Amino acid sequence: MTTHTEERAAELRVALADGLEASGQLTDPTWRKVFETVPRHPYVPEFWALTGEGQRRVTSADPDWLDLVYTDDALATQLTDGVATSSSTAPGLMLTMLQALDVVDGHRVLEIATGTGYNAALLSERLGSHQVVTVEVDPVLARLAGSRLRRSGYTPLVHAGDGREGHPGQAPYDRLIATCGFSTIPAAWLEQVKPAGLIVCPVGWGTVCLVVADDGRAEGRFLPARSYFMAVRDAGTTGTPAHPGRPDATSGRLTGLELAAVAEDEAFRFVLSLVAPDTGFAFERGDDGLVTAVELWGTDGAWARAEDGAVRQAGPRPLWDAVEAAHELYVEHGRPGRERFGVTVTAEGQSIWLDTSSRPVPRAAATA
Ligand SMILES: C[S@@+](CC[C@H](N)C(=O)[O-])C[C@H]1O[C@@H](n2cnc3c(N)ncnc32)[C@H](O)[C@@H]1O
């Protein structure tokens, strides 16, 4: 990189930090200093940017590369069969999660989902590389992130493996942060984070902040921030349920639920992501812009399509029944925001609750 590039990048970081402070996403002066110090561009020499016309491939040879790198946007860095399977998370959301992690000097952190390595670089700058372990399921990405980190002067332990297992070899950790999406918090993590330690992890369309208790349970609420992470996956897969086409419906009935209320209410879509986990979702609009159809499908072959006041369903989970139940709960409790929901995890399993752990939210989870 030329000195000019580095100077311009430093200016852009300050401008982005100002913007993130103004929007309330960056509140901690220590993290501001870290953010201004660590460049993002060495980790994203090429990516796909979302534009009005779809996905555009951007490389460091493009004149707007640096400007796009220093925006508050997620940058897709790997596509598998057209599905993004790795990215650099939007900086505002990364900082929201890092601040929720509430680290102090001396803390040891396990990061799940190394991706580009940029978040590991921020953690290494804040705490020292030797305090950071990061796990990436894709061995090629792990290698690339490791070498980019080293070139920038950071040497956290980068492990190629399945983050659902954590990294017991270096446990215990004071903090665990995950940057891919989960429907269930892996029980293995509870054994690797110290009592009173924190776990910050995307669950559905939100991010939960759990406190680990002395008895090995972990419990906490969702952050208010919107968060949409790519799903945790096995190596070589996308983690996204493949659309099943148009299966033969095994049941059909009328539905009174307005399709726009399902498709266009972001707060409800978060609730739905908890109630019907591991589920693909799509909707269609007519020429007048109104929502005309909503479709859901699961990894287990469950499928539902609602249009013209009727719904057809197939497979082991009646997904539209779950949508209606979630909407009833949502309306009955005054359209609750993310921060009213919480998660309790024990070695035996996980429950998601509204306001208090004594009010569990029923889930229509995939069985296979
Ligand atoms: C949003 S990116 C992570 C962003 C990253 N923290 C950064 O700063 O660039 C999500 C990453 O999760 C990884 N991932 C998915 N499933 C995983 C698993 N089971 N274990 C570890 N990493 C996983 C993906 O390969 C992808 O690189």
Side-chain angles (χ1 to χ4, degrees):
M1 298 289 159
T2 63
T3 313
H4 174 73
T5 302
E6 296 307 331
E7 282 171 4
R8 172 92 184 112
E11 283 166 17
L12 290 169
R13 280 201 296 286
V14 172
L16 182 54
D18 286 345
L20 296 173
E21 239 174 44
S23 66
Q25 289 165 288
L26 176 52
T27 53
D28 181 330
T30 310
W31 276 113
R32 176 164 181 143
K33 190 159 172 270
V34 169
F35 184 75
E36 286 184 5
T37 305
V38 180
R40 189 187 195 196
H41 59 275
Y43 301 93
V44 285
E46 52 188 290
F47 54 85
W48 285 265
L50 276 184
T51 66
E53 291 88 52
Q55 284 163 340
R56 186 189 132 209
R57 182 129 189 256
V58 179
T59 75
S60 55
D62 288 307
D64 57 352
W65 169 64
L66 218 47
D67 291 303
L68 290 168
V69 167
Y70 291 104
T71 54
D72 187 21
D73 287 322
L75 307 172
T77 48
Q78 181 179 265
L79 297 184
T80 308
D81 301 332
V83 176
T85 45
S86 194
S87 67
S88 171
T89 306
L93 179 55
M94 285 175 70
L95 285 165
T96 300
M97 293 170 72
L98 288 168
Q99 289 167 131
L101 201 62
D102 198 23
V103 293
V104 297
D105 291 351
H107 270 172
R108 301 189 61 249
V109 177
L110 174 62
E111 183 199 30
I112 305 302
T114 315
T116 64
Y118 175 50
N119 200 40
L122 293 169
L123 283 164
S124 299
E125 175 67 28
R126 172 66 187 84
L127 295 167
S129 295
H130 53 291
Q131 303 292 83
V132 180
V133 176
T134 178
V135 181
E136 167 58 53
V137 77
D138 182 326
V140 176
L141 294 178
R143 249 195 326 273
L144 205 55
S147 68
R148 286 179 179 150
L149 281 158
R150 277 193 300 282
R151 241 179 286 142
S152 306
Y154 301 112
T155 52
L157 176 64
V158 182
H159 173 71
D162 187 345
R164 287 168 285 206
E165 291 161 14
H167 191 66
Q170 305 288 317
Y173 306 96
D174 299 282
R175 300 287 188 262
L176 185 153
I177 181 170
T179 54
C180 57
F182 287 78
S183 54
T184 307
I185 303 279
W189 296 356
L190 303 185
E191 293 160 14
Q192 296 177 33
V193 177
K194 293 177 187 170
L198 299 184
I199 296 174
V200 172
C201 178
V203 175
W205 278 19
T207 290
V208 76
C209 182
L210 304 170
V211 183
V212 177
D214 286 339
D215 60 3
R217 290 152 45 95
E219 188 166 278
R221 285 180 185 262
F222 282 87
L223 306 176
R226 296 176 178 199
S227 85
Y228 317 105
F229 276 91
M230 54 191 58
V232 66
R233 60 191 176 103
D234 295 324
T237 69
T238 65
T240 305
H243 190 280
R246 285 282 170 96
D248 291 334
T250 49
S251 71
R253 63 174 175 80
L254 298 178
T255 177
L257 197 50
E258 227 184 279
L259 297 186
V262 174
E264 294 182 321
D265 181 345
E266 203 279 336
F268 172 64
R269 291 282 301 280
F270 162 69
V271 178
L272 187 56
S273 76
L274 301 182
V275 170
D278 305 317
T279 303
F281 185 98
F283 62 94
E284 294 163 19
R285 290 183 194 279
D287 294 340
D288 54 6
L290 298 179
V291 179
T292 54
V294 170
E295 201 169 339
L296 295 97
W297 62 94
T299 42
D300 53 351
W303 172 81
R305 182 176 172 91
E307 61 193 322
D308 298 330
V311 58
R312 286 171 297 143
Q313 307 195 73
R317 269 188 300 168
L319 284 174
W320 197 255
D321 295 13
V323 174
E324 288 176 336
H327 203 262
E328 219 175 284
L329 174 121
Y330 177 64
V331 171
E332 187 188 333
H333 291 282
R335 302 176 185 270
R338 285 171 169 78
E339 63 285 357
R340 282 182 57 191
F341 290 86
V343 177
T344 303
V345 194
T346 65
E348 284 73 49
Q350 161 183 300
S351 74
I352 291 189
W353 40 264
L354 173 61
D355 293 329
T356 149
S357 55
S358 59
R359 188 187 291 135
V361 173
R363 303 187 95 193
T367 48

